[in-house]
Amino acid sequence: MTHYFLGIEIPDELKKYYKEWQQELKTILPYKRWTHEKDLHITLAFLGEVYAERLELLVESLKALSFSGSFALTLEGLGTFGKNNRPRVLYVDVHLKEELSQLQQQIVKAAEVLDFELDKRRYRPHLTLGKKWGAAFDLPEERLSELQSQFQTRKHFEVTAFILYKIHPGHVPSYEKLAVFPF
């Protein structure tokens, strides 16, 4: 069975911009996995393993949702998940706007009606740059603060759709667009 998720694609110019960040950060931080430029996205809901018939039902349900139109998102600064001295994920922070929150909630409700078991944690939108700390040494707290100060640029883009992605483990890039849901 294949894994799927729903997400927001960022524009190509931002993918290139954040790839440059990754190139610089790779020389400093020992992550085992860096997100491929073409795979940079903002996750709305991870669906996990899904059979084809169930996926078709979800696609039809998502097509029926009503959205108020496009909206702007802001990406700014570096953040981490996990321990500060060995953060498991390095990401660009996405400001949580009401429109993004409503979109994510509508998608979750549509999936839950079809008995998808989604993550119950509070939604924290982000753009993952690197994963899996890959060194025996700790990251000094002051070094993380320096990096967060250095990588503070604010970027904006217009969200006009969300996408159903299929995950291809072991492939680079790993994500295939299966369906686009425009507003």
Side-chain angles (χ1 to χ4, degrees):
M1 206 177 332
T2 306
H3 288 82
Y4 300 87
F5 69 93
L6 294 156
I8 295 171
E9 183 176 35
I10 66 169
D12 288 343
E13 64 270 11
L14 289 181
K15 289 179 182 181
K16 289 177 185 159
Y17 178 79
Y18 290 118
K19 180 182 179 184
E20 291 174 11
W21 274 27
Q22 286 176 313
Q23 298 302 355
E24 190 171 343
L25 288 164
K26 282 179 185 179
T27 66
I28 303 165
L29 299 173
Y31 283 97
K32 291 179 183 177
R33 294 185 54 210
W34 291 90
T35 306
H36 188 278
E37 172 185 359
K38 291 182 179 179
D39 286 341
L40 291 170
H41 70 280
I42 300 163
T43 300
L44 293 165
F46 179 73
L47 302 172
E49 291 182 300
V50 183
Y51 290 102
E53 303 80 30
R54 197 161 174 226
L55 193 64
E56 288 174 23
L57 290 172
L58 179 62
V59 167
E60 291 308 312
S61 179
L62 293 172
K63 285 180 183 177
L65 293 179
S66 173
F67 303 105
S68 59
S70 65
F71 57 92
L73 272 186
T74 302
L75 295 91
E76 179 181 25
L78 284 179
T80 60
F81 293 132
K83 298 177 183 176
N84 285 341
N85 60 343
R86 290 180 185 218
R88 70 181 189 288
V89 175
L90 178 71
Y91 64 84
V92 177
D93 198 22
V94 177
H95 293 263
L96 182 57
K97 292 185 69 173
E98 184 61 29
E99 297 92 340
L100 177 61
S101 181
Q102 288 175 0
L103 171 64
Q104 194 268 343
Q105 289 172 13
Q106 282 189 7
I107 288 169
V108 165
K109 284 179 187 172
E112 287 177 342
V113 164
L114 296 170
D115 292 326
F116 282 85
E117 292 186 26
L118 304 179
D119 192 346
K120 299 294 182 199
R121 292 178 287 183
R122 180 178 64 88
Y123 181 56
R124 178 72 191 267
H126 61 280
L127 182 76
T128 300
L129 296 177
K131 296 186 216 184
K132 298 187 179 182
W133 188 257
F137 65 86
D138 288 350
L139 178 66
E141 193 170 319
E142 62 276 359
R143 185 62 177 132
L144 179 58
S145 295
E146 289 170 10
L147 291 171
Q148 288 172 324
S149 295
Q150 181 182 350
F151 293 91
Q152 267 304 314
T153 309
R154 181 178 289 181
K155 296 290 183 183
H156 308 278
F157 73 99
E158 195 74 13
V159 178
T160 59
F162 66 96
I163 298 170
L164 172 64
Y165 290 95
K166 180 178 183 179
I167 302 172
H168 296 280
H171 292 82
V172 178
S174 301
Y175 307 142
E176 174 189 358
K177 289 186 219 177
L178 290 185
V180 177
F181 303 91
F183 305 146

